[in-house]
Amino acid sequence: MLEKVREKLMSIRFLRRILNWGRAWSLWSVHLETGCCGPEDMARACARYDTERFGTLPFPTLRECDLIFVTGFVTKKMAKRLKLVHEQMPSPKYIIALGNCAISGGLWWDSYNVVQGIDEVLPVDVYVPGCPPRPEAWIQAIRMLQEKIKKEGLDKK
Amino acid sequence: MKLSMGPQHPITGHFRFILDVDGDLVIKLDPDVGYTHRGIEKLAEKRTYPQNLPVIERTNSYCDSVGTMLGYLEAVEEVLGLEVPERGKYLRVIAAELNRIASHLYFLSLGAVATGFETMLMWTINDRELVLDLMERLSGQRITYTYPIMGGVRFDMPDGFKEEALKRLDYLGKRIEDYYTMAAKNHTFKMRMMKVGILKPSDAIRLGIVGPNLRASGVKADVRKDEPYEVYDRFDFMIPTGKNGDSYDRVGMRLKEIEQSISIVRQAVKDIPKGAFKKWAPYIVPKGEAYTRVESARGEFGYYLVGDGGIKPYRLKLSPPSFRNLIALPHLCRNVPLGDVPIIFITLDLIPMDVDR
């Protein structure tokens, strides 16, 4: 019953737009570092690049987060934990893959312990190339994801 | 009770700790490493000597990439019997010391996170950006530079770099005083840091601790002074040492080291000689072996290189500082409150990628 009401409400374009707007501007990112882009994560969150302007706040608890930054390469051991973190997060959840290593293995293309592209494990929304990507590129990725979220559920009819 | 801490945790980074706790008291700590193991030593055998540069750099690409690469280059150049031009050596020293400043500022920001000191986090990261800007002028990248190459450095010092560097270093020097006032003399910060994780000098030597952590315990050991590489013997700087070896000393050690690094860069920028900054280096390295050590931001970094007369190394063994310092963590985290574990971990300045390679 509740599901039906919810679906009915969400089919109203105006309400859907408000919901999408809210989701797009409060993307809290979970604190999980997988590779070498970690310091840039700090740089983009702090004084100069300050992504909190766009509603992206690094947050310790994954239960209240909607965004994972896959920062760099993902080893086989870390991939299991990454999947676990992704499963534990509440829906809707989004993933931004940062760095060549997360996209296709990058520098570690022949390493025996690195996952060759994170899309083998998880669905990725935005890819950002670079080694490591500059904080400006992170901000662009966040903006692209926001544009994507704003269009969600509005393409029908 | 067993408790698992990490890898999804604001403090631990890529580590996981398995803690044996009794109430709030940590009885035993087991570090679970291997989350960032890429097999760098094996990959180095598959690639040629110049191709190895970015691979080695990413052992510790967090902040101290130049310091990490210098040792490898020293080893290759020792086997080759190659002498780097004077200007190249000076530029290497400038890059390495700027990198050390950036790395220590990053350490201070992590220390701020561990103590819940948000203002200091913003200050340190913002000041780190100033140093990264300088490095960007020099090499064209923010954190992974691949700036030193075989036989010198990649680019010459750009125009106006000297004035800009001196200006920014003056500003940083003033900021260090601010840090002393804000953090080191702050009552809350002192209470969180003092007498937490005391590492005695005898224990530090027995466990083989290196770098600022060893110096914080009062042992005077620095490769830059003991066995000068590049042109470190020409600069006038001192090795600061701590007294008690607690977390507070380890933080103060980094602040003092930033001051020394600023003085080294100032001297190097002022008396840098003119001339060539790089030299042609052959791709084929003759048969031979070399062991070199350098002082990276986290301590002594050892390299053992065996060449077999081809274009690829036969064996490259890395002995990173974080791997040596990791043993101090279970040693110090015995019978301490759970709240002290992040402080001890952060002040030891361990980098998981360094540990796993």
Side-chain angles (χ1 to χ4, degrees), chain A residues 42-52 57-58, chain B residues 105 108-110 112-113 117-130 171 175 179 182:
Chain A
M42 215 147 178
R44 66 102 188 146
C46 288
R48 188 188 277 187
Y49 295 101
D50 196 12
T51 47
E52 217 181 317
L57 176 75
Chain B
L105 285 171
L108 289 172
S109 74
L110 287 175
V113 174
F117 205 164
E118 283 274 317
T119 319
M120 191 174 150
L121 165 71
M122 296 294 168
W123 281 26
T124 42
I125 289 290
N126 204 21
D127 287 346
R128 179 171 165 260
E129 295 288 332
L130 298 178
Y171 173 75
R175 287 295 270 182
Y179 288 138
M182 182 177 62

Side-chain angles (χ1 to χ4, degrees), chain B residues 137-157:
Chain B
R137 276 193 171 206
L138 205 59
S139 64
Q141 253 283 18
R142 265 174 62 85
I143 61 172
T144 47
Y145 316 108
T146 324
Y147 183 58
I149 51 168
M150 283 155 71
V153 290
R154 255 194 323 157
F155 308 112
D156 199 0
M157 204 161 78

